[in-house]
């Protein structure tokens, strides 16, 4: 491979994106395999930025190629298409110095064995530099079935959902109140030259305008702060943890919400359950960094199989952050749009219903179950909870505060980008004490 500066970064990004776009690979898995080979943290950051930008903007870039080429490259010439996408991303929206971006991408074509296409790459990138990229259709690269579902569920907000899913999200931090106040940590950020502002309806949340390595955040290694989106942080308010309360986090990995509840109230009797034993290790790591690992019960088990893990003592509160389509976090996981299939939704809805029914039997009378997803589909949210209420006579939905989003049947729905948060659904269900 050439030693020209920046070429290795472009080659790495192209290989990752080619695997994600054309071979069905997970972005997270590909980044996890490739980034350790890059020694410079600035190179790793640029690879990540290029990959996320291309996946958010891929529909727009495809439209540009269709407009400029009589026969744009398809899946059979995926490397060329990906090279061009990486070049476009550098010019718009990243606005890297054009001469260096074009030169490094053309050289990357040669390093990838595409020397015969280097002239074509150079010509198209020069055109993009000269004319700018067409605006494109923000919904153009969504699968038709998903685009139709979102338009049917949110006819007045669908275009805003598609547009928000193309944008880079802000960086949300959660301040560990066991190590200091939000105001104290805000002052530490400002002293370090990092711009931030508090959220109005999330007591521990600070918003930074863009991403940055966590290593530069003061006190991150010692647990002063964590990265967690605004919408996820709002769940703790619905739990309202109190001393001695027995709490179950039923789909707990990677452990952010478990940790937040313990930061709010250290005297909880907390059980963190997850079906994936490997992901349970991430919860353990999270709690150790935050110095919260004392007394937390970690269980690797299927939440629907209560006979396998429940000890018979009812929980006062249960958090079910259910497995879902992740359609509310596409700006953070843009490959979801590529890999999600319509058949997945039916399977997820069935799993969510089984979890609700099983976990409800472990809830104490008078206790509450908080249901949450990072989906924006009504089948997983409004209609799921309405169906649960219809078949569960001792379940009552409580009204939720308006700042959580749109009133949506028994719960509230925040759509992507609203309040600068992820798309998220919330419902709080109380188990009534039935009388004879």
């Amino acid at each position: 491979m050439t030693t020209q500066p920046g070429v290795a970064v472009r080659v790495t990004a192209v290989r990752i994106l080619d695997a994600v776009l054309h071979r069905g690979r997970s972005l997270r898995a590909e980044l996890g395999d490739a980034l350790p080979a890059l020694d410079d943290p600035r190179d790793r950051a640029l690879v990540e930025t290029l990959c996320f930008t291309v996946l958010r903007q891929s529909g727009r870039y495809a439209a540009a190629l269709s407009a400029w080429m009589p026969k744009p490259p398809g899946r059979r010439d995926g490397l060329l298409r990906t090279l061009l996408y990486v070049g476009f991303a550098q010019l718009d929206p990243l606005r890297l110095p054009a001469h260096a971006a074009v030169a490094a991408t053309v050289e990357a074509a040669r390093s990838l064995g595409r020397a015969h296409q280097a002239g074509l790459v150079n010509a198209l990138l020069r055109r993009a530099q000269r004319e700018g990229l067409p605006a494109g259709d923000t919904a153009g690269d969504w699968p038709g079935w998903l685009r139709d579902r979102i338009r049917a569920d949110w006819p007045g907000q669908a275009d805003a959902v598609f547009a928000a899913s193309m944008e880079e999200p802000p960086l949300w931090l959660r301040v560990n109140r066991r190590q200091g106040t939000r105001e104290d940590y805000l002052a530490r950020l400002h002293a370090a030259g990092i711009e931030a502002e508090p959220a109005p309806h999330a007591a521990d949340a600070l918003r930074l305008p863009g991403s940055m390595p966590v290593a530069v955040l003061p006190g991150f290694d010692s647990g002063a702060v964590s990265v967690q989106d605004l919408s996820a942080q709002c769940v703790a308010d619905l739990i309202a943890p109190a001393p001695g309360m027995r709490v179950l986090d039923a789909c707990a990995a990677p452990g952010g919400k478990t940790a937040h509840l313990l930061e709010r109230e250290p005297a909880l009797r907390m059980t963190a359950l997850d079906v994936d034993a490997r992901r349970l290790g991430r919860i353990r790591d999270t709690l150790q960094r935050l110095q919260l690992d004392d007394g937390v019960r970690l269980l690797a088990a299927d939440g629907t199989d209560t006979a396998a893990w429940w000890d018979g003592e009812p929980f006062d509160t249960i958090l079910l952050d259910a497995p879902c389509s992740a359609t509310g976090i596409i700006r953070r996981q843009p490959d979801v749009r590529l890999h999600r299939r319509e058949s997945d939704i039916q399977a997820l809805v069935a799993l969510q219903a089984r979890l609700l029914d099983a976990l409800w039997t472990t809830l104490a009378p008078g206790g509450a179950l908080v249901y949450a997803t990072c989906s924006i589909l009504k089948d997983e949210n409004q209609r799921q909870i309405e169906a649960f209420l219809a078949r569960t006579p001792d379940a009552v939905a409580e009204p939720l505060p308006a700042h959580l989003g749109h009133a949506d049947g028994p719960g509230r729905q925040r759509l992507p980008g609203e309040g600068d948060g992820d798309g998220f659904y919330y419902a709080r269900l109380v188990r009534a004490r039935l009388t004879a």
Side-chain angles (χ1 to χ4, degrees):
M1 183 182 294
T2 178
T3 57
Q4 181 176 322
V7 174
V9 170
R10 275 74 176 179
V11 167
T12 301
V14 168
R15 285 179 170 148
I16 292 171
L17 285 163
D18 182 47
V20 174
L21 285 166
H22 305 122
R23 284 182 274 125
R25 294 280 296 166
S26 155
L27 175 60
R28 182 175 298 177
E30 290 298 306
L31 286 171
D33 290 345
L35 292 184
L38 298 171
D39 294 331
D40 192 327
R42 293 169 298 182
D43 288 346
R44 295 196 291 270
L46 180 54
V47 168
E48 283 193 281
T49 299
L50 286 169
C51 290
F52 278 94
T53 302
V54 165
L55 291 174
R56 292 186 189 115
Q57 303 275 338
S58 59
R60 184 168 166 241
Y61 297 161
L65 293 182
S66 294
W68 291 347
M69 301 177 74
K71 187 178 180 181
R75 295 178 63 87
R76 295 179 63 182
D77 205 357
L79 269 182
L80 173 61
R81 181 164 71 161
T82 310
L83 265 166
L84 291 165
Y85 286 4
V86 167
F88 291 160
Q90 295 168 73
L91 299 172
D92 180 6
L94 299 181
R95 301 193 182 285
L96 301 185
H99 175 75
V102 173
T105 307
V106 170
E107 191 58 34
R110 297 191 177 95
S111 291
L112 289 162
R114 300 286 168 145
H116 60 291
Q117 293 171 326
L120 176 63
V121 172
N122 183 66
L124 287 165
L125 296 187
R126 292 294 180 195
R127 181 169 183 175
Q129 178 190 0
R130 187 172 60 251
E131 300 178 13
L133 289 161
D137 178 2
T138 56
D141 59 343
W142 286 67
W145 68 268
L146 182 54
R147 185 173 59 234
D148 293 345
R149 275 181 177 244
I150 292 173
R151 288 201 184 284
D153 285 353
W154 300 100
Q157 295 85 12
D159 287 336
V161 168
F162 300 137
S165 298
M166 294 177 66
E167 300 296 323
E168 179 185 355
L171 180 65
W172 284 100
L173 301 181
R174 186 189 77 237
V175 177
N176 182 356
R177 44 172 87 180
R178 291 176 71 174
Q179 295 195 26
T181 68
R182 179 169 70 169
E183 290 68 29
D184 290 341
Y185 192 78
L186 184 61
R188 292 178 70 181
L189 288 176
H190 288 164
I194 299 173
E195 181 185 348
E197 59 182 2
H201 297 296
D204 305 315
L206 292 173
R207 178 190 177 281
L208 278 63
S211 63
M212 65 177 55
V214 295
V216 306
L217 297 171
F220 180 84
D221 287 342
S222 58
V225 72
S226 298
V227 174
Q228 188 178 40
D229 186 79
L230 168 72
S231 299
Q233 292 192 46
C234 291
V235 168
D237 291 333
L238 302 183
I239 300 290
M245 180 183 284
R246 191 166 200 249
V247 178
L248 170 67
D249 187 352
C251 300
K257 298 181 185 68
T258 296
H260 195 192
L261 293 171
L262 291 166
E263 291 168 1
R264 287 279 183 94
E265 178 47 68
L268 290 180
R269 299 166 62 205
M270 171 66 77
T271 298
L273 179 76
D274 202 273
V275 70
D276 189 331
R278 292 175 306 167
R279 284 166 57 81
L280 210 65
R282 293 185 62 189
I283 303 176
R284 188 176 293 108
D285 293 343
T286 297
L287 295 178
Q288 286 176 348
R289 181 182 66 82
L290 296 168
Q291 303 171 43
L292 296 169
D293 49 331
D294 289 344
V296 179
R297 185 176 175 226
L298 300 178
L299 290 177
D302 179 350
T304 65
D305 186 10
T306 56
W309 59 266
W310 185 38
D311 61 8
E313 181 182 356
F315 293 98
D316 300 306
T317 303
I318 296 172
L319 168 59
L320 173 54
D321 186 3
C324 72
S325 62
T327 43
I329 57 172
I330 285 177
R331 61 181 187 165
R332 295 189 188 278
Q333 296 184 27
D335 54 331
V336 166
R337 190 172 45 195
L338 299 173
H339 302 325
R340 187 65 68 209
R341 299 290 179 265
E342 188 168 19
S343 57
D344 296 342
I345 306 304
Q346 186 177 1
L348 286 165
V349 169
L351 174 59
Q352 293 153 6
R354 290 199 304 275
L355 283 165
L356 278 165
D357 291 341
L359 296 173
W360 192 254
T361 66
T362 72
L363 182 66
L369 185 151
V370 172
Y371 178 84
T373 74
C374 56
S375 166
I376 59 172
L377 301 180
K378 288 180 182 284
D379 280 350
E380 300 180 86
N381 298 332
Q382 176 195 336
R383 288 190 277 271
Q384 179 70 269
I385 297 304
E386 287 176 341
F388 176 74
L389 292 170
R391 66 177 180 268
T392 312
D394 60 345
V396 178
E398 286 192 338
L400 300 181
H403 72 260
L404 292 177
H406 304 264
D408 194 27
R412 292 262 174 191
Q413 177 78 62
R414 189 200 302 275
L415 295 173
E418 292 180 340
D420 257 349
D422 288 343
F424 225 83
Y425 181 80
Y426 315 86
R428 191 172 194 275
L429 310 170
V430 174
R431 186 171 189 180
R433 292 183 172 86
L434 295 181
T435 57

